[in-house]
Amino acid sequence: MIVPLIARNTFREATRDRVLAGVVVAGVLVILGTQLLQTLALGEGRRLTIDLGLTAISLFGLLIVLLVGTNLVAKEIERRTIFNLLARPISRPAYLMGKWLGLSGALWVVAGSLGLALWAVLAVRGHGALGPVVLEAAYLAGLELTVVTALAVLFSALSTPVLSALYTLGCYAVGQWSWDLREFARQFPSGMGTTLEVVANLVPNLPVFNMRALAAHGEPTTLYHLALATLYALVYSGCVLALASAAFESRDFK
């Protein structure tokens, strides 16, 4: 019962944060603002709306992770409330798991809200049939943010908020190019190529969660893709949280 309790409190704290509300409003404005570019889209207004809308979900979700997620543990340490929490029968792994679940839940609310807003805009433009495709893409974006949140929790448990944000952003950027990085690794000498390949394998394989191109063409993905992406997100997040728990156990707050 400890993990759900921490997750619920973290979710409440995140949803009450003005940053989250501001990001949701900004995301909706961006989706609505794509309609102003219809005249410049040369007949590709639908594709532009979907592509920019889904990009907004990922980027604004990342912004929440950087502003809120990287402060999850540091904020507790600064307020010294973590001493009261850990003085109780609460294990450090359970504490981190609850933080991850709570913030991930808040990010799912953001992804779902912006996905529904994008569907509503498409419906007004006469493309309401693309709603299921948009929701599939929003679901994958939510999985992506879940993985990035696990990394934010890891770095938040080990470092300062600024460094945590930089590390998280770096992993996100490299993860977006992980497939290309593997291709580049084959063109380098053996030593550097091996290093690049190891880095590409360690960072999250974020292209797995990207179906913006498919959605922009109105094409759904497969159930196999959705299941594989879900399994990958859970396994990768679990490994990252296990590493975070091991490191957090040895951290001295005195």
Side-chain angles (χ1 to χ4, degrees), residues 211-237:
M211 66 165 286
R212 287 194 293 272
L214 280 176
H217 287 88
E219 300 177 10
T221 188
T222 62
L223 291 177
Y224 175 76
H225 179 201
L226 293 175
L228 182 64
T230 302
L231 179 62
Y232 177 81
L234 292 176
V235 172
Y236 191 91
S237 297

Side-chain angles (χ1 to χ4, degrees), residues 119-176:
W119 185 0
V121 170
L122 290 172
V124 171
R125 301 290 299 184
H127 305 295
L130 296 177
V133 174
V134 169
L135 292 184
E136 285 182 357
Y139 172 76
L140 291 174
L143 291 177
E144 177 185 67
L145 294 174
T146 299
V147 172
V148 178
T149 300
L151 290 170
V153 170
L154 167 64
F155 296 131
S156 178
L158 298 177
S159 188
T160 62
V162 174
L163 291 178
S164 299
L166 291 176
Y167 295 151
T168 303
L169 182 60
C171 287
Y172 177 85
V174 177
Q176 291 289 350

Side-chain angles (χ1 to χ4, degrees), residues 15-120:
T15 52
R16 292 172 181 173
D17 197 313
R18 294 181 180 178
V19 171
L20 189 140
V23 166
V24 172
V25 172
V28 172
L29 291 178
V30 168
I31 293 173
L32 294 175
T34 59
Q35 304 311 296
L36 300 177
L37 303 176
Q38 294 288 324
T39 56
L40 303 177
L42 300 178
E44 298 294 336
R46 186 194 71 182
R47 292 177 57 185
L48 179 68
T49 299
I50 295 176
D51 196 8
L52 291 181
L54 294 176
T55 300
I57 294 176
S58 295
L59 292 183
F60 282 119
L62 174 64
L63 182 62
I64 293 175
V65 174
L66 295 178
L67 294 178
V68 179
T70 54
N71 285 287
L72 282 177
V73 179
K75 185 185 298 184
E76 299 282 0
I77 297 175
E78 181 181 350
R79 296 175 179 175
R80 307 189 71 82
T81 55
I82 193 171
F83 297 101
N84 297 328
L85 288 172
L86 298 181
R88 301 176 181 180
I90 301 176
S91 66
R92 296 191 180 190
Y95 171 79
L96 293 180
M97 177 67 73
K99 289 291 186 180
W100 172 71
L101 286 174
L103 183 56
S104 295
L107 288 168
W108 276 102
V109 171
V110 172
S113 300
L114 295 181
L116 291 175
L118 179 57
W119 185 0

